[in-house]
Amino acid sequence: MNDVFADRVVTGSEDRLAEMFGGSLGENGIKFSAGNPNSELFPIAQMKQAFNKAIDKSGSQIFEYQTVSGFEKLRERLAQWAGQTADINITADNILVTQGGQQALDLIGKLMLNAGDEIVVEAPTYVGALSAFDQYDPCYYDVEMDDDGINLEQLELVLQAHPNIKLLYTVPDFHNPTGVTLSFRKREKLVELAERYDFFILEDTPYRDLRYKGIKLPAIKSFDRHGRVLYVSSFSKILMPGLRVGWVAADKILIERLRKLKTSSDLETPGIVLAALDQYMENNDLSKHIAEMLPTYRSRLEAMLAVLDKTMPTDVRYTRPEGGFFIWLTLPEVIDAQKLLSEICIPKDRISFVPGKVFYAQRNRKNGMRLNFSGVDEEQIKVGITKLAKSIRSAITANKVGAVL
Ligand SMILES: Cc1ncc(COP(=O)(O)O)c(C=O)c1O
């Protein structure tokens, strides 16, 4: 059967996304594995109104084929939003609307990566990006994450050793999976390095507006003077993932090429969804909606950090994010998070997390785990993290007496 498939399907493209979620938890299970926004915060009534208005306004025309780049008016709004939220100075012509940020990642991979082309990714990094890039069979170079984002000394060594590196993929704000945010200094420096070593930066930032403490930082793209940064954002985390609307902001030449690739792939993003989103933004204040969600997420983050502080063994390290959806735990190196999940946490504790291996391009590290706090309430956090800490402690003790988990 394998001869039926193209090489990209047979080689190098194991399904990273499918690997993420492990077994079923049953009814009272607690899921720290999801990456979802809290659906109770979705503005359903307003969105229903927006869809109705979009249909009333345009009638059957809205169900015709539209334009591939997405509604001009919505793109104008997005350009304005990029200025307001990320200090990016662009116009509607610099924007392509996509089916979620995920399609943008895929199209950029398709645009830029021949088999064997060299790309730098953070270690760990967003599994969906690896899954998109895997299709194009690139050569990955991993660079470590520090508490303030990608390690620039290590990055520079990699760039010196591999002068053909084309692209660097980064999630600078409340990184998935670690929750870490790239510092101001490093944002500026990354653009300088891109100029000096002649590569492009893919800045993927769906969590950017979900900041619960600290000061907002300008986007990497705001430092870009020569069109080296492709900025990808999405409505999935700040509004609703089911809309499947994301967008790329980049130099017009790149946008034009991406538009052609999108046409070949799906013709366009559904016009009715874009028209409804445009209506939503016309009649509602998106910033206000985001501000109203923040206290819920902030309390969940604080609750999780408080229980972690209280219960985790001292040899377990974890990040202290200022926003987003995730906290990253690093266990002692001898512990395999995948085994902990499938042998103890799922069957006995009825809790789940995402074991770290899938977030590494080379799948070569097993002692990390991603915990989601946005989709669980404070009681679940207290009960679930206490159980997790207990199981980790037992695994560490068992390991010390020789029973490797
Ligand atoms: C860092 C990152 N990029 C992109 C995406 C894709 O999101 P969507 O396609 O829903 O916009 C996600 C989703 O979890 C993400 O975490």
Side-chain angles (χ1 to χ4, degrees):
M1 185 65 176
N2 268 357
D3 352 339
V4 164
F5 301 127
D7 291 348
R8 87 182 70 88
V9 179
V10 182
T11 58
S13 63
E14 293 151 76
D15 192 348
R16 293 181 191 264
L17 289 170
E19 268 176 55
M20 281 179 70
F21 295 106
S24 151
L25 289 178
E27 230 174 71
N28 295 321
I30 302 174
K31 247 167 111 179
F32 298 118
S33 50
N36 302 338
N38 179 349
S39 59
E40 286 166 20
L41 303 174
F42 293 167
I44 297 294
Q46 293 87 333
M47 197 50 81
K48 199 167 170 184
Q49 225 174 33
F51 270 86
N52 283 338
K53 275 201 175 152
I55 295 172
D56 290 346
K57 208 168 151 189
S58 309
S60 60
Q61 190 275 334
I62 201 61
F63 295 103
E64 304 261 23
Y65 288 114
Q66 310 286 326
T67 64
V68 66
S69 46
F71 252 57
E72 168 93 20
K73 231 173 98 207
L74 181 63
R75 285 186 291 119
E76 277 164 15
R77 280 188 206 286
L78 289 173
Q80 207 189 357
W81 182 255
Q84 182 188 326
T85 61
D87 300 318
I88 300 174
N89 188 7
I90 47 169
T91 68
D93 291 344
N94 296 109
I95 291 179
L96 177 70
V97 177
T98 53
Q99 301 248 20
Q102 190 65 31
Q103 186 185 35
L105 302 180
D106 178 50
L107 293 177
I108 292 167
K110 202 178 247 179
L111 180 73
M112 299 184 77
L113 300 175
N114 286 317
D117 275 356
E118 296 172 318
I119 168 170
V120 174
V121 292
E122 291 155 336
T125 189
Y126 169 52
V127 58
L130 292 174
S131 172
F133 303 151
D134 279 353
Q135 309 300 314
Y136 307 107
D137 209 7
C139 169
Y140 291 109
Y141 295 107
D142 283 341
V143 175
E144 293 298 313
M145 289 291 282
D146 296 332
D147 288 344
D148 60 350
I150 191 165
N151 181 310
L152 291 187
E153 287 72 38
Q154 201 191 336
L155 172 63
E156 203 158 353
L157 291 177
V158 170
L159 292 167
Q160 282 162 0
H162 306 284
N164 293 327
I165 283 171
K166 240 184 180 173
L167 187 64
L168 175 141
Y169 170 72
T170 177
V171 182
D173 305 291
F174 322 121
H175 184 255
N176 182 359
T178 65
V180 159
T181 292
L182 189 71
S183 67
F184 186 101
R185 179 186 71 83
K186 286 188 172 181
R187 286 167 196 248
E188 209 171 7
K189 185 79 201 253
L190 264 188
V191 176
E192 252 175 69
L193 290 175
E195 297 286 332
R196 185 158 5 123
Y197 291 94
D198 189 21
F199 63 91
F200 282 78
I201 297 172
L202 170 42
E203 175 178 25
D204 179 20
T205 184
Y207 304 96
R208 178 171 176 80
D209 301 309
L210 299 173
R211 175 177 278 284
Y212 317 130
K213 48 184 149 175
I215 302 159
K216 193 178 102 178
L217 295 172
I220 301 171
K221 179 133 189 80
S222 72
F223 298 101
D224 182 23
R225 298 287 163 265
H226 300 99
R228 287 196 172 269
V229 183
L230 297 100
Y231 180 89
V232 172
S233 188
S234 168
F235 285 96
S236 289
K237 316 296 175 179
I238 55 173
L239 210 46
M240 301 157 164
L243 293 170
R244 306 307 306 129
V245 180
W247 47 287
V248 194
D251 195 84
K252 278 185 208 165
I253 298 170
L254 296 173
I255 291 294
E256 196 41 53
R257 296 279 173 172
L258 287 168
R259 180 180 296 129
K260 285 186 186 154
L261 292 175
K262 180 169 163 71
T263 314
S264 316
S265 168
D266 68 357
L267 293 185
E268 62 190 32
T269 299
I272 176 63
V273 176
L274 301 188
L277 192 50
D278 182 55
Q279 279 297 321
Y280 174 86
M281 288 180 88
E282 165 103 23
N283 297 313
N284 299 274
D285 181 349
L286 179 57
S287 303
K288 186 161 162 269
H289 166 67
I290 295 171
E292 283 166 1
M293 294 195 293
L294 298 184
T296 304
Y297 290 146
R298 182 182 298 118
S299 323
R300 290 178 177 193
L301 167 63
E302 281 170 2
M304 191 172 277
L305 285 172
V307 193
L308 286 168
D309 288 346
K310 209 164 129 199
T311 59
M312 276 297 153
T314 48
D315 39 3
V316 173
R317 286 182 291 117
Y318 43 90
T319 54
R320 305 193 82 86
E322 297 193 324
F325 286 177
F326 308 110
I327 293 176
W328 178 257
L329 257 70
T330 308
L331 307 174
E333 259 179 42
V334 286
I335 308 289
D336 181 338
Q338 176 71 57
K339 278 194 174 179
L340 183 70
L341 178 73
S342 57
E343 291 174 14
I344 297 180
C345 293
I346 291 183
K348 301 206 176 103
D349 298 334
R350 300 267 161 223
I351 55 173
S352 66
F353 53 81
V354 184
K357 200 170 84 172
V358 289
F359 300 105
Y360 292 95
Q362 328 289 350
R363 287 187 171 82
N364 56 353
R365 278 185 247 175
K366 58 183 180 138
N367 61 322
M369 68 168 73
R370 189 189 78 176
L371 294 176
N372 166 269
F373 58 82
S374 60
V376 272
D377 64 33
E378 287 167 43
E379 186 55 27
Q380 289 174 312
I381 289 173
K382 202 164 129 200
V383 173
I385 297 295
T386 306
K387 283 185 181 173
L388 177 66
K390 205 166 153 209
S391 293
I392 291 177
R393 201 179 290 277
S394 310
I396 294 174
T397 312
N399 195 271
K400 281 186 185 141
V401 295
V404 177
L405 184 84

